[in-house]
């Protein structure tokens, strides 16, 4: 084979390889990343990047199912596509809004109050497009074929470093303010009531009010006065 023929064969093979590679679509997926991804770390910002695999519709929503150890109330929205907002669900949260441009990726970030004590966290994600199509990134690592290639849409996974020495789990996120407890009465607490209240209670216990006793005393005085007057008159008549 001449040198020219060999060069032509190599060039042809390279061109064919390029055509084959260009014919294979890029594998879309959802990734999650975090600085300081460590077990029991607090106030950690997680960034999710959802790649598009649609040539005709833009991404409008991402629904993230939180792993065990992270409650929806422990997540706050940090940033995302323009006009997108976060809403919590029973098992995670959704971020949604106007569709991103066709073919564009949707990236958003949230802050987690504290990461659980685990080696890795799996965030199953449902990715919705403006045409109603849904990509389900929910497959677990067991779907791997043993050669580093998974089958189906694998869920994003965040690897965690071991917890720092002395790190502990913080208290649960405070819930809504509890219903105010009624103020106990003096009888319930066993404390002595005020002097005025004590006098009132004694009057009530005796069966007669203070006004009634005053009336009785006045009547006694009137009767005594009348008796004295009668005695004096009788003494004067006898003289």
């Amino acid at each position: 084979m001449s040198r020219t023929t060999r060069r032509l064969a190599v060039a042809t093979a390279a061109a064919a390889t390029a055509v084959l590679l260009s014919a294979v679509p890029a594998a879309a997926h959802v990734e999650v990343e975090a600085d300081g991804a460590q077990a029991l770390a607090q106030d950690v910002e997680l960034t999710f990047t959802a790649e598009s695999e649609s040539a005709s519709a833009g991404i409008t929503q991402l629904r993230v199912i939180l792993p065990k150890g992270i409650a929806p109330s422990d997540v706050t929205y940090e940033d995302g596509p323009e006009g997108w907002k976060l809403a919590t669900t029973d098992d995670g949260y959704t971020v949604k809004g106007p569709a991103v441009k066709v073919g564009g990726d949707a990236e958003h970030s949230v802050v987690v109050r504290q990461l659980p004590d685990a080696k890795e966290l799996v965030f199953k994600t449902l990715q919705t497009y403006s045409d109603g199509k849904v990509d389900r990134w929910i497959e677990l690592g067991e779907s791997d074929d043993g050669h580093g290639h998974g089958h189906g849409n694998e869920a994003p996974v965040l690897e965690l470093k071991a917890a720092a020495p002395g790190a502990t789990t913080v208290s649960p996120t405070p819930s809504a303010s509890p219903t105010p407890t009624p103020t106990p009465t003096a009888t319930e607490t066993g404390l002595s009531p005020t002097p005025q209240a004590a006098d009132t209670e004694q009057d009530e216990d005796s069966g007669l009010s203070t006004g009634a006793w005053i009336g009785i005393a006045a009547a006694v005085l009137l009767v005594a006065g009348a008796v004295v007057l009668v005695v004096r008159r009788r003494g004067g008549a006898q003289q």
Side-chain angles (χ1 to χ4, degrees):
M1 180 182 295
S2 66
R3 181 177 298 178
T4 301
T5 302
R6 285 198 300 270
R7 289 179 178 175
L8 181 60
V10 171
T12 302
T17 301
V19 170
L20 290 174
L21 290 176
S22 63
V24 178
H29 57 282
V30 176
E31 294 181 344
V32 58
E33 298 177 338
D35 292 332
Q38 185 175 23
L40 298 182
Q42 299 181 36
D43 298 324
V44 180
E45 182 174 336
L46 308 183
T47 299
F48 293 83
T49 302
E51 298 181 351
S52 175
E53 62 175 16
S54 175
S56 59
I59 302 171
T60 58
Q61 174 179 293
L62 295 173
R63 179 189 172 193
V64 178
I65 300 174
L66 295 171
K68 183 179 180 180
I70 301 179
S73 58
D74 291 335
V75 176
T76 55
Y77 192 48
E78 186 70 12
D79 194 17
E82 185 176 358
W84 282 35
K85 295 182 179 180
L86 180 144
T88 58
T89 62
D90 290 339
D91 55 4
Y93 68 88
T94 62
V95 284
K96 60 182 179 180
V100 300
K101 65 180 181 180
V102 176
D105 300 339
E107 180 178 301
H108 79 279
S109 58
V110 296
V111 174
V112 177
R113 185 167 179 257
Q114 183 179 37
L115 298 180
D117 190 2
K119 293 182 178 180
E120 65 177 23
L121 301 175
V122 179
F123 296 87
K124 295 182 179 181
T125 304
L126 304 180
Q127 179 175 331
T128 303
Y129 294 85
S130 56
D131 59 1
K133 177 186 175 183
V134 178
D135 289 338
R136 302 177 183 275
W137 307 102
I138 60 175
E139 300 295 334
L140 302 180
E142 288 74 22
S143 63
D144 194 275
D145 62 4
H147 300 285
H149 304 291
H151 301 289
N153 295 347
E154 294 187 11
V157 177
L158 181 66
E159 302 289 340
L160 300 184
K161 297 179 181 179
T168 58
T169 303
V170 299
S171 59
T173 302
S175 57
S177 299
T179 302
T181 303
T183 302
T185 63
T187 303
E188 292 172 338
T189 60
L191 299 177
S192 300
T194 61
Q196 294 81 356
D199 291 340
T200 302
E201 290 178 359
Q202 290 176 358
D203 291 341
E204 292 175 350
D205 291 341
S206 63
L208 295 175
S209 66
T210 301
W213 282 112
I214 293 174
I216 292 173
V220 170
L221 291 175
L222 288 175
V223 171
V227 171
V228 171
L229 181 60
V230 170
V231 171
R232 287 180 178 177
R233 287 180 179 179
R234 287 181 178 179
Q238 291 177 355
Q239 292 175 359

